[in-house]
Structures are given as C-alpha cells and as structure tokens.
C-alpha cells in the first residue's frame, strides 16, 4: 500500500505541475518570416514592445516563404511555429492545408486585397514586383532608366541582370508578366518560358533567391539591373546605395505579404495578438518607412515623403493580381520545368 501511495503521490505531483509546464511552453512564441532587412525591422520595431507588453519571449525563425511552408508541412501534427509570415501564394496553400487558425477582431477598414477566406490570414503589406536598377551605374554609362519588362532581354545587360528563381514570388511574377505580354496567362506560361530561355538567360548573372546576396551583387558592381519588390528596393535604398524602383509600363505585379496564426492543440492566443500587432497604424507606418510596404488600412494617412516607392493610391489600383488558384496547382510542375529548361 505504501508503494501504491508513493506512485499516486508522484502522479498527483506530475498533474499539478502539468498546467505550469504548459504555460512555460507558451512563454515562447515562434514567429517564422522573411530574413534580411525585414527580419531586422521586426526584431527592432515590433518584437521588443510585444515581449514587454505580453510577458513572452519571441523567437524569430528566418526563411523565405517556400522554406516556411516546407517547415509547416514537415511539422504537421507537431507544429513548433506559432505565426507564419509568407507571400500570398504560399499563404493560400497554407490555408488550404489547414495550417492557419481564424483571426478574431481584424480591423474593419482593411483593403480587400488584404482579406482572406474566413479570416484565416491577413495581408500586412502591399508590395509591387518590378525592376530595380543602379542609378549611378546607369548615369555613368549614359543609359536611360529601364521602363519595361522587355528590358530584361536587352543584350547591353549581358551578365549584369539578377532575378530570383521561380520558387521565389519575384521570379514567378517575372515569368507571368512575360507570358501575359506575349499572349499567355496563368493557364499558359509557355511564352514566358520561351523568352526566359532564349532572350533573358544570356543577360542573367545569377538566379538569386537570397536578399543578402542580391544586395552584395549590386554593391560589388557585378549587377546593375534586377527583378525585385518595392519592399526590398526601399530597404536597400535606405542604406544609401544608389538604387531606384521602376513600375514597368506593362504593369507591376502585386505581392501581398501575409501573416497567420498556426492552428495546433493549446495554441497560444498571443499568436493572433502578434498578427494584429502588425496591423497597428504605428507598425504599418514603420513597415512603410523601413520596408516600402503599401499599408493595408484604408484610413491610414501616409506622409508624402514615405510614399515614394510603395504601391499607394493610383499605383496600387493599377497592380496586376495573379490568380493563385491556378498558379498553386501548377507551381511544382513549373519549378521542375524551370530547373530543366532555364536555370540549368
């Protein structure tokens, strides 16, 4: 009986500790999002105040959108990530796969582009994909600024062009734009592949997914033209490097940066709270200033000096929004084709 009493006592003690153990686990919030300058902005401008206000430690896990989606898939049934920040295309997949929980109490004045089905994710910033160029190098060479997606084919840029691969949204947007300009669409991207293979490839120095390496290639003078987003270009320009962003005359593509709380047993309510922190007017202005994100709140008043590159107002209204339902169904097939035909 004494032995049974001891076992019982141990069990009771273990049960008594269980709630506090669960609470201890919830004292760390894991946020997965982009690296580079975006990570720096979140670490400097968002995380410290959130930690202090909520008594929680935020661990930031850096990676591009496809990396984060792959982690969610690998951790299925035992999710470590609490909040995912990814591009809109992978976010549609994350929602479809059941990874995202519902966000209660979203602001009423969100732009439609920032809204997702059943509020299982939300846009936190609008980005335009277009062209970045080195203004100093262009001036020294006597070149006019680029104006068109067709500039990617101009032989004067031979081995001086950098484009992310198509497992990155910026590279995918370039493929879609060239397809659309030549009679194609999301349902038929053959023209885009053909132009990349025959006309763009000779100009490409690197198909580079890393933001850090992209900026290094510009800083070393090896690259003078790139396909990139307003957020990345604004952040690079903020360092004092002579780059500018161009909205091509055929149109720029919309990239919506999105966030969602990850659904899992005993999910922390702080996950939704962190997502909503990214929508606060103060945070939205910080992300506009530091990162060139077009705000997702209709009521936000944007100081003129902060709106030079970001898709705001008329620029935002003219953006082309890809059909992700078609793209996500084809993306794996396109990536294999890209690796076979283009980036060999």
């Amino acid at each position: 009986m004494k032995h049974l009493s001891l076992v019982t006592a141990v069990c009771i003690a273990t049960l008594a500790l269980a709630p506090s153990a669960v609470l201890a686990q919830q004292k760390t919030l894991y946020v997965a999002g982009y690296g580079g300058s975006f990570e720096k902005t979140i670490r400097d401008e968002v995380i410290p105040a959130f930690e202090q206000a909520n008594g929680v430690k935020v661990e930031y896990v850096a990676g591009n959108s496809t990396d984060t989606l792959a982690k969610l898939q690998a951790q299925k049934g035992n999710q470590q990530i609490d909040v995912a920040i990814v591009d809109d295309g992978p976010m549609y997949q994350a929602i479809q796969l059941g990874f995202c929980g519902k966000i209660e109490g979203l602001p009423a004045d969100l732009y439609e582009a920032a809204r997702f089905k059943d509020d299982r994710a939300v846009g936190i910033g609008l980005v335009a994909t277009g062209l970045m160029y080195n203004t100093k190098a262009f001036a020294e060479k006597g070149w006019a600024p680029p104006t068109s997606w067709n500039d990617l084919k101009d032989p004067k840029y031979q081995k001086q062009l950098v484009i992310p691969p198509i497992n990155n949204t910026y590279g995918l947007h370039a493929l879609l734009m060239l397809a659309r300009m030549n009679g194609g669409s999301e349902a038929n991207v053959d023209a885009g592949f053909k132009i990349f293979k025959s006309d763009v490839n000779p100009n490409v120095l690197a198909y580079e997914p890393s933001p850090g390496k992209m900026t290094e290639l510009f800083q070393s003078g090896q690259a003078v033209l790139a396909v990139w987003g307003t957020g990345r270009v604004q952040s690079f320009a903020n360092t004092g490097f002579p780059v500018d962003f161009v909205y091509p005359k055929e149109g720029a593509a919309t990239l919506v940066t999105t966030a969602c709380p990850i659904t899992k047993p005993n999910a922390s309510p702080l996950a939704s709270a962190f997502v909503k922190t990214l929508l606060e007017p103060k945070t939205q202005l910080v992300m506009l200033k530091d990162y060139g994100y077009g705000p997702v709140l209709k009521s936000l008043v944007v100081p003129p000096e902060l709106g030079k590159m970001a898709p705001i107002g008329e620029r935002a209204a003219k953006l082309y929004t890809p059909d992700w339902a078609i793209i996500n169904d084809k993306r794996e097939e396109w990536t294999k084709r890209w690796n076979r035909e283009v980036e060999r």
Side-chain angles (χ1 to χ4, degrees):
M1 290 294 291
K2 285 183 180 178
H3 179 67
L4 287 174
S5 298
L6 180 61
V7 171
T8 304
V10 170
C11 289
I12 291 169
T14 303
L15 287 169
L17 286 170
S20 59
V22 171
L23 285 173
Q25 288 176 343
Q26 291 180 349
K27 285 297 179 183
T28 300
L29 196 73
Y30 290 90
V31 176
Y34 314 117
S37 48
F38 181 89
E39 178 182 358
K40 185 177 187 307
T41 295
I42 296 297
R43 285 188 182 278
D44 293 350
E45 305 286 353
V46 178
I47 288 176
F50 187 84
E51 287 179 331
Q52 188 173 4
N54 294 282
V56 67
K57 172 69 177 170
V58 176
E59 291 287 351
Y60 193 88
V61 184
N64 66 30
S65 297
T66 48
D67 290 339
T68 298
L69 184 61
K71 284 171 189 164
L72 291 172
Q73 290 171 305
Q75 295 171 7
K76 190 173 183 179
N78 185 29
Q79 291 292 354
Q80 295 171 1
I81 295 169
D82 294 291
V83 175
I85 301 172
V86 297
D87 296 348
D88 43 4
M91 184 59 82
Y92 281 110
Q93 290 177 290
I95 293 169
Q96 191 175 12
L97 292 166
F99 294 138
C100 294
K102 188 177 176 68
I103 311 166
E104 303 289 352
L106 285 173
D109 66 334
L110 284 170
Y111 281 112
E112 198 58 37
R115 292 197 170 277
F116 285 74
K117 187 179 178 183
D118 299 330
D119 291 338
R120 293 197 174 272
V122 65
I124 61 171
L126 301 178
V127 175
T129 300
L131 306 176
M132 172 175 76
Y133 73 104
N134 182 325
T135 56
K136 185 170 181 284
F138 269 64
E140 288 171 351
K141 293 174 186 290
W143 292 346
T147 60
S148 166
W149 289 103
N150 283 325
D151 284 311
L152 300 178
K153 302 187 291 184
D154 192 325
K156 73 184 178 189
Y157 302 124
Q158 188 172 20
K159 299 303 178 189
Q160 298 179 84
L161 170 63
V162 186
I163 304 175
I166 67 162
N167 64 357
N168 179 294
T169 304
Y170 301 127
L172 181 66
H173 280 168
L175 176 71
L176 289 170
M177 292 306 302
L178 289 172
R180 283 167 53 84
M181 287 162 54
N182 291 276
S185 66
E186 288 91 339
N188 180 10
V189 294
D190 288 349
F193 273 102
K194 183 179 178 183
I195 291 166
F196 255 101
K197 186 177 178 180
S198 60
D199 300 328
V200 178
N201 248 349
N203 292 339
V204 175
L205 171 67
Y207 288 104
E208 182 51 66
S210 163
K213 289 180 182 175
M214 174 75 87
T215 56
E216 284 174 15
L217 290 170
F218 270 72
Q219 288 164 336
S220 68
Q222 293 172 268
V224 298
L225 181 65
V227 172
W228 230 14
T230 45
R232 294 290 186 191
V233 182
Q234 181 68 67
S235 183
F236 192 18
N238 287 349
T239 69
F241 195 81
V243 287
D244 202 0
F245 181 85
V246 172
Y247 285 79
K249 61 186 179 184
E250 301 88 359
T254 311
L255 186 159
V256 183
T257 294
T258 64
C260 85
I262 301 304
T263 183
K264 56 183 178 180
N266 302 316
S268 171
L270 292 178
S272 280
F274 188 88
V275 171
K276 287 189 281 189
T277 296
L278 301 174
L279 299 173
E280 291 175 358
K282 179 185 173 185
T283 310
Q284 288 277 294
L285 285 175
V286 164
M287 290 198 290
L288 172 60
K289 173 179 170 288
D290 286 3
Y291 210 66
Y293 276 0
V296 297
L297 301 174
K298 296 176 186 176
S299 60
L300 192 67
V301 177
V302 176
E305 68 275 11
L306 295 185
K308 291 176 182 175
M309 287 188 198
I312 296 169
E314 189 178 342
R315 288 199 298 256
K318 289 182 177 178
L319 291 175
Y320 148 63
T321 302
D323 188 334
W324 285 105
I326 296 175
I327 294 167
N328 284 333
D329 191 46
K330 298 279 190 180
R331 194 162 186 179
E332 186 178 351
E333 174 192 326
W334 291 350
T335 301
K336 289 177 181 175
R337 183 177 175 184
W338 177 269
N339 293 335
R340 190 172 63 245
E341 296 181 16
V342 180
E343 193 181 346
R344 292 184 294 177

